Amino acid sequence: MPLRRCPCGTGLLLAECCGRLHDGSAGAATAEQLMRSRYSAFALGDVAYLLATWHPATRPRSLDLDQDVRWTGLEVLATTGGALLSAEGTVEFRAHYVGNGSSGAQHENSRFVRDGGQWRYLDGVSLS
Ligand SMILES: [Zn+2]
């Protein structure tokens, strides 16, 4: 794997950051870590990881990523819960993109719950 910075913006190499979650060599300790790894998966087009980290109750059967959208940056704005010993948490974030002839940001408050010991994405509210 080439040396590249992680899309989630920590400044770490992908292989030392979200890449460890994507390849299964590490699990997300916090809801924010899972959120960051899912953002990176969107940026990298890793549909399998996105589905695998979706809570079974809300997981879509399949997921089509818009090939014209390129994710360009992530800001984590606020978190509640989601710590090492929490059962649930929320992460408010703004994800920037360019595509389809324009640029913009998705502003969302996502909910995460622990399922069988693993953090999973449950759902989100758009705040725009
Ligand atoms: Zn990362």
Side-chain angles (χ1 to χ4, degrees), residues 6-10 17-18 36 40:
C6 191
C8 85
T10 50
C17 190
C18 298
R36 287 181 170 277
S40 294

Side-chain angles (χ1 to χ4, degrees), residues 5-14 16-19 21-22 33 36-40 74:
R5 299 282 160 197
C6 191
C8 85
T10 50
L12 298 171
L13 295 174
L14 174 60
E16 295 168 347
C17 190
C18 298
L21 278 64
H22 295 164
Q33 267 182 23
R36 287 181 170 277
S37 73
R38 285 176 52 84
Y39 168 82
S40 294
L74 173 69

Side-chain angles (χ1 to χ4, degrees), residues 44-88:
L44 298 167
D46 189 343
V47 170
Y49 183 79
L50 291 168
L51 291 174
T53 54
W54 217 304
H55 194 281
T58 53
R59 181 192 297 149
R61 200 167 299 168
S62 64
L63 186 64
D64 279 322
L65 299 184
D66 188 339
Q67 299 299 323
D68 294 325
V69 169
R70 194 164 54 84
W71 295 96
T72 56
L74 173 69
E75 294 171 79
V76 172
L77 304 171
T79 63
T80 65
L84 223 50
L85 300 175
S86 306
E88 54 184 76

